[in-house]
Amino acid sequence: QAKSFGKNQYFFFDRLLKQQLDRRLLIENELKFAVNRGEILVYYQPKYMLEPEALIGFEALLRWDHPTFGFISPGEAIPIAEETGQINALGYYMLDEVFHHVKQWQTEHDFFGVVSINVSAIQLKQVDFYAQINFLLNKHQLDSKFIELELTESAMMEVDDVLPKLEQLKALGLKLSLDDFGTGYSSLFVLKELPVDTIKIDQAFVFAINDPRSKNIIKTILDIGSNLGLQVIAEGIENTDSIQRLKDLGCLFGQGYYYARPMPLNEVTAYINRHHDKG
Ligand code: C2E
Ligand code: MG
Ligand code: MG
Ligand code: MG
């Protein structure tokens, strides 16, 4: 009895593993066509100054709208694209699209906020990453100061010669930001050397802001930011309570579902016109 139970269990996990592998292979294969079929979309999430409340920019987020499987989350697709190297083509497409959109918002809607784009370590490792950015800035005649590249702490740590690479990008006039801060493993010693403009407090700390330990971590990150002269932005603001607590801690900037969820391109210009004080 016990033996056959064990055997069933084995089959169960075997099947589960096979299903996972099938899905992975399916995603990997479908990704090959995603860009050309127009399935890759850019969604934009507003970023805010907390007080007085003001729209300061957007974060671009990849969305994959597959004709039969529907939306496949970046959390699932991006790690696979990173393993296969497909992230380089995807990332390039994102940069090209975003630069185009930002230029349009500037010329047609007078919007000059900073727009950030997530960049994977694999992308940064490409020898011609800098050349890609430089080419696209020229292609779209876009002033680099309106673009911010978001890299996670762990991404920055896994790239060889990351400092010269980042310095080179900084020299182009872009902004750099350290995403999901507090979840990686860079020491303060490393942080002080990184040529970043912004650190993003990971949303996990903001969700748990009522826990005194999380609150203290947020406070510490804000202190580090102000000591190093960096802008600090909180992610994952879902309610007025966290805004109040963040303000009390001296946090100036944030983004999250409370302000707005990431939205498709066709909603952005109306959003800008409603929320942007052109003063
Ligand atoms: P991230 O860069 O840290 O982006 C924040 C994620 O939190 C986004 O998920 C966003 O939709 C979500 N979010 C924003 N506000 C809230 C909130 O108030 N509550 C909750 N629960 N979630 C919130 P998303 O779009 O699914 O992206 C997940 C991750 O995938 C991103 O984390 C980023 O690491 C990666 N990613 C997304 N787009 C790209 C891309 O174009 N390139 C690369 N390399 N990575 C990307
Ligand atoms: Mg990000
Ligand atoms: Mg983040
Ligand atoms: Mg994240």
Side-chain angles (χ1 to χ4, degrees):
Q1 195 66 28
K3 202 177 168 192
S4 76
F5 177 72
K7 203 173 175 190
N8 285 337
Q9 215 171 32
Y10 170 77
F11 280 124
F12 174 72
F13 285 117
D14 194 39
R15 204 163 63 227
L16 200 70
L17 207 67
K18 186 171 178 315
Q19 279 168 6
Q20 284 170 355
L21 197 68
D22 286 348
R23 178 151 172 102
R24 196 202 171 282
L25 288 173
L26 183 95
I27 287 179
E28 183 182 330
N29 192 53
E30 291 299 302
L31 260 180
K32 291 178 192 156
F33 314 104
V35 168
N36 288 337
R37 287 183 188 152
E39 297 165 16
I40 301 296
L41 311 171
V42 192
Y43 273 45
Y44 289 97
Q45 184 177 42
K47 295 188 182 191
Y48 271 85
M49 177 158 78
L50 306 185
E51 185 73 52
E53 190 178 298
L55 177 66
I56 56 165
F58 290 91
E59 174 174 6
L61 293 156
L62 181 148
R63 292 292 178 267
W64 180 11
D65 189 7
H66 188 277
T68 45
F69 308 113
F71 279 93
I72 299 171
S73 76
E76 183 175 21
I78 284 169
I80 297 173
E82 286 178 336
E83 279 177 50
T84 60
Q86 290 164 310
I87 189 68
N88 290 336
L90 273 181
Y92 184 83
Y93 179 76
M94 287 291 291
L95 290 162
D96 198 8
E97 287 286 287
V98 173
F99 286 13
H100 176 69
H101 300 155
V102 172
K103 183 69 187 187
Q104 259 184 345
W105 301 338
Q106 294 183 351
T107 52
E108 291 165 26
H109 301 273
D110 238 350
F111 180 75
F112 292 91
V114 172
V115 176
S116 65
I117 309 169
N118 294 283
V119 172
S120 150
I122 314 286
Q123 283 175 271
L124 187 60
K125 282 179 189 168
Q126 302 168 98
V127 283
D128 67 339
F129 184 66
Y130 168 87
Q132 290 173 19
I133 299 276
N134 197 23
F135 172 80
L136 290 173
L137 287 169
N138 282 312
K139 173 182 173 188
H140 297 286
Q141 287 298 297
L142 186 61
D143 186 338
S144 57
K145 72 181 182 205
F146 300 109
I147 296 296
E148 183 166 72
L149 303 182
E150 295 194 5
L151 282 137
T152 64
E153 223 184 323
S154 5
M156 290 203 191
M157 294 305 108
E158 74 172 78
V159 176
D160 291 335
D161 293 323
V162 72
L163 283 183
K165 279 179 176 274
L166 297 178
E167 301 284 3
Q168 205 186 17
L169 291 167
K170 279 297 303 174
L172 270 180
L174 300 164
K175 295 184 169 59
L176 297 177
S177 115
L178 203 46
D179 206 350
D180 301 350
F181 189 74
T183 62
Y185 51 92
S186 58
S187 66
L188 294 179
F189 184 76
V190 173
L191 179 62
K192 83 169 188 359
E193 302 300 328
L194 291 175
V196 295
D197 305 275
T198 308
I199 45 187
K200 301 190 78 175
I201 303 175
D202 192 77
Q203 53 189 30
F205 301 116
V206 178
F207 294 157
I209 198 165
N210 287 317
D211 167 3
R213 286 168 302 180
S214 283
K215 192 186 89 179
N216 285 328
I217 290 171
I218 293 175
K219 205 167 151 221
T220 304
I221 296 175
L222 288 164
D223 280 344
I224 293 169
S226 80
N227 283 323
L228 295 176
L230 305 176
Q231 187 192 57
V232 180
I233 176 162
E235 300 189 87
I237 298 179
E238 294 189 342
N239 50 57
T240 47
D241 179 63
S242 27
I243 296 176
Q244 193 50 54
R245 283 168 192 273
L246 284 164
K247 280 188 206 159
D248 291 345
L249 293 173
C251 182
L252 301 179
F253 305 100
Q255 65 186 101
Y257 292 171
Y258 170 81
Y259 291 105
R261 288 182 180 252
M263 63 187 84
L265 175 68
N266 65 5
E267 290 175 18
V268 176
T269 50
Y271 189 91
I272 288 173
N273 291 331
R274 263 184 289 128
H275 291 90
H276 188 48
D277 174 20
K278 290 183 179 144

